Every structure is written in C-alpha cells, then in structure tokens.
Amino acid sequence: MHEEVSALLAAWALGAGMPGDDARVRGHLHECAPCAAEARRLRETARLLDEPAPGGTGRGAGRKANAGLARGRLMAAARAARPGQVPPAAHAAPYAGAVACLDALLRELDQAPARWGTPVVHDWDVQGTVAHLVAADEVLAERLGLAPVTEAGTGLGPAPGARPPEGYGPQGYGPEEYGPEGGTDPDALSGGRAAGARAPWEVRWVARTHEVVTYEHTRPPAETREAWRTQAHGLLALPEAGDEQMAAMATTLMGLRLPVADHYVIRAFETWVHTRDIGRALGRTVPPPLPEHLQRFLGLAVRILDLALGPDAQPVLLSVEGEAGGDWVLGSDAEPIAAELVLEATDFLLLIGGRQDLDEIARGQAGDVAASQRLLETATSLAWL
C-alpha cells in the first residue's frame, strides 16, 4: 500500500487522481508520516502553481503568467505517472535509472541533513550540485512544455535552448534555433535583456546555472531536492519519454541539434556523472549504469565526438572494451586506418564527462600517435559537466 500510494501522491496533490484514489490516499496519510509530509510538499507546489502572477518583469513573473497552461501539462504528466502505466521507452530508460539512483542517494541525507553542505565539484556542495541539475534539466523540460520548478530570476536572457547570433554554434552542429517553435523567444527580448540574449549559449548557461544554484541555496535542501524530483519525474511522464516516434523530433539545445530521444540520453548521462560526484563526496559507492544504458551513452558520445572531429580528421579505430563496448571508425573515410585506440567504457565516458584526465586513463594504441592524441583531446574538449 505504501509504494502504491507514494506513486499516486503527485496526481492526488494536483487533483488529477482517478475515481477512488482520494479515499485510498487520505486513509494512508493518516497512518504514514513520510507520505503525509510528501503530500504537504506537493500540495504546496500545486498551490504555488495556482497563484496569480506577481508584478514585475523578471523571468519568474513571466513564467507564472503561464501557470495555467503549465499546470495542465503537469496534471497530464501526473496522471501518466500512475502505477501500471507504460514504462519509459528505451531512449528514456537510462534517465529513469539515473534519476532513481540519485533519488535513493539523496534520501540517505534525511538522516544527516548537515551533509547537504558537503563540497562536491565546481565549488558546489550537494545542494548546489542538485540545483545545477535543476538548471540542466530545465532546458529540455521547458522545450517540452513542462512547468518551471524554480523561481530563480535571470539577467542574461533565455535558457540555452534559444538562438545566439546568426551563424554561431559549435563546429559541425549548425546554428541554434529561435525558441521552441522556431519563432523569436519572447523571454529573450523582454525586460531589457536583449544584449544578454545574444550572448553565446555557453555564457547564458553559466549565468543560468549560477543564478539557480544561488537561489536554491536560499531554500531548505529538501525543497531543492523536491524541485529536482518534480522536474525529473515530469520529464519521465511526458509522452516524449514513452513514444519513440514523438521523441524522434529534432530540436537544438545546448548547441546540439539532436532528436529529443538523444537529449533524454544526455540528461541521463549528466545525472549519472553528478550522482557519481555526490556519491564520492559522501563516501558512497554509486553503481554503474546498466549495460544497455551504457550502450546508449557510448553510442551518442561516439556520434558527437565524430562530429566534433570532422570529416577531415585522420581515421582512427576506437575500440571500447566491456559488456557495453564496441568498435567505431571516427574521422574521415580514408584508407587505411591511421591509428587504433583501445579504452575501457567507463574511462571513455568519464573522459567525455570531464572526470578523467588524459594521463589518468589506461589505453592501448597503435599507429599514428598524433591521430590518437587528436581524438583524445577532442573528447576532453566536449566536457561541460
């Protein structure tokens, strides 16, 4: 009964439950203190969504003006998350696994709340790292129409899903687009933020991360965790998480034009990396992703690395060892292969994720040393985590 009611709480708090849910949930809440506390938090979130928009022109005020539409999408997501619903499709399953792993790790802090202040990475403590994930997931969540989960304001224009100056973009990825539907993003031009809106996405991304982390540190850590969970589970409840055809739609986020399915894989990869960061800081062992999830990470990482190398790079045979590994030729189609490089799967992914230095990873290589080195250095340059 506890697990069943826990899965119903989000829909119940939004008034999106099915017939019979209300009596079942209320009966359980009288007996279960943790679920009662969770219900109070969710009801407060629903109340905030129903509030009228406050005055002002900041990012938070503009978002509140669309609370009705956002709440409707969130209610649909809550209904979709009921027990017995279709599980995430293969492209979203790695994200579901990464979210579950981080959620379990953070729940351990209920017994040691002071450890939320443990330093983790990039001058962030545990709370700051979770707040960073709120900002990181926000880019995809907003593009897919989910309600915002943080009221952190902005001074540099839109989140990094919107377009920078014409022609700007990482080599090989093409220019970004204007807003979710290809039109000018209204938030980019409001409140005198036009100059910031024209900044490269990396600049806007750093600024957005900073403001979300700063804002979330004004709140109790449990509220930051709840914001992250609300957004993550909202992403998993969207139709795009369960429908391969819907997820095949391409969109440009963070400088990369990829199918929505691949953006879910990127969210999974970043969540796993930061869960590992938090685990190491807390002295907890974080299990590796399932082999089929690692395969998704590897396949996407290799495709992005190949684009970054470009068609003129000397061809290198990359062999990734392990249950999820494989062989790929990256660079030009020229013959013969200039070099061969062998890496372990986790080492390769942590190199892409900025958590391994080149001199730290074991590797086997043969052939042109410069060609292998260019591939490795390009891999390290992709890290933004």
Side-chain angles (χ1 to χ4, degrees):
M1 175 63 76
H2 175 79
E3 292 184 359
E4 182 180 350
V5 171
S6 293
L8 293 171
L9 283 178
W12 176 82
L14 287 164
M18 305 297 281
D21 284 352
D22 187 75
R24 187 184 316 169
V25 170
R26 289 183 182 278
H28 180 71
L29 295 184
H30 286 301
E31 304 171 356
C32 181
C35 282
E38 178 84 347
R40 286 193 294 272
R41 287 195 295 269
L42 291 171
R43 274 288 169 94
E44 176 63 13
T45 300
R47 183 188 67 78
L48 291 173
L49 283 173
D50 284 336
E51 282 185 353
T57 59
R59 184 185 182 96
R63 288 171 169 181
K64 279 286 185 68
N66 295 318
L69 176 62
R71 190 177 193 275
R73 186 68 182 260
L74 191 58
M75 287 176 69
R79 287 194 179 101
R82 285 174 49 82
Q85 294 297 313
V86 177
H91 67 271
Y95 183 59
V99 166
C101 186
L102 178 55
D103 197 22
L105 181 61
L106 295 179
R107 286 187 182 277
E108 293 186 18
L109 299 182
D110 289 344
Q111 309 304 318
R115 302 207 70 190
W116 278 95
T118 303
V120 178
V121 66
H122 303 323
D123 295 326
W124 301 329
D125 56 10
V126 176
Q127 183 177 10
T129 306
V130 176
H132 163 70
L133 285 173
V134 171
D137 287 348
E138 177 186 68
V139 184
L140 178 59
E142 287 193 341
R143 182 57 56 89
L144 298 182
L146 276 182
V149 295
T150 179
E151 289 301 314
T154 184
L156 278 182
R163 186 179 181 176
E166 182 66 34
Y168 176 84
Q171 184 177 6
Y173 303 141
E176 292 181 316
E177 59 195 4
Y178 280 110
E181 303 299 332
T184 302
D185 186 341
D187 194 40
L189 303 178
S190 63
R193 297 194 301 274
R198 292 187 61 81
W201 74 261
E202 295 96 333
V203 174
R204 301 197 311 277
W205 168 231
V206 170
R208 181 59 182 158
T209 296
H210 175 73
E211 63 196 8
V212 172
V213 171
T214 300
Y215 171 77
E216 290 299 326
H217 272 124
T218 69
R219 306 210 292 165
E223 293 185 13
T224 301
R225 181 181 73 182
E226 190 58 38
W228 167 76
R229 289 181 71 243
T230 297
Q231 186 167 255
H233 286 283
L235 280 168
L236 289 168
L238 290 174
E240 290 87 348
D243 188 317
E244 295 280 1
Q245 287 188 328
M246 292 187 70
M249 173 191 70
T251 190
T252 306
L253 300 172
M254 310 289 279
L256 290 172
R257 183 165 185 80
L258 296 168
V260 167
D262 286 340
H263 287 297
Y264 269 97
V265 176
I266 290 173
R267 301 307 332 123
F269 178 66
E270 182 164 3
T271 303
W272 167 62
V273 169
H274 286 308
T275 300
R276 186 176 178 274
D277 291 338
I278 293 172
R280 288 165 65 90
L282 296 176
R284 297 286 189 269
T285 300
V286 173
L290 295 173
E292 56 266 33
H293 297 173
L294 279 175
Q295 287 174 344
R296 287 268 173 174
F297 293 166
L298 286 168
L300 181 57
V302 167
R303 279 192 285 134
I304 292 174
L305 176 56
D306 196 31
L307 283 171
L309 280 168
D312 296 328
Q314 286 186 290
V316 176
L317 173 62
L318 174 65
S319 296
V320 179
E321 295 184 322
E323 188 177 354
D327 298 322
W328 297 269
V329 175
L330 282 71
S332 76
D333 295 328
E335 296 287 352
I337 299 297
E340 297 182 18
L341 185 62
V342 181
L343 299 172
E344 193 275 328
T346 302
D347 281 347
F348 174 64
L349 290 172
L350 292 177
L351 185 68
I352 293 283
R355 295 301 183 271
Q356 288 273 38
D357 292 331
L358 286 180
D359 57 2
E360 294 177 336
I361 61 172
R363 58 185 182 268
Q365 61 186 77
D368 191 312
V369 174
S372 294
Q373 190 67 16
R374 177 179 177 183
L375 185 150
L376 291 169
E377 290 175 354
T378 303
T380 62
S381 74
L382 297 176
W384 77 98
L385 307 182

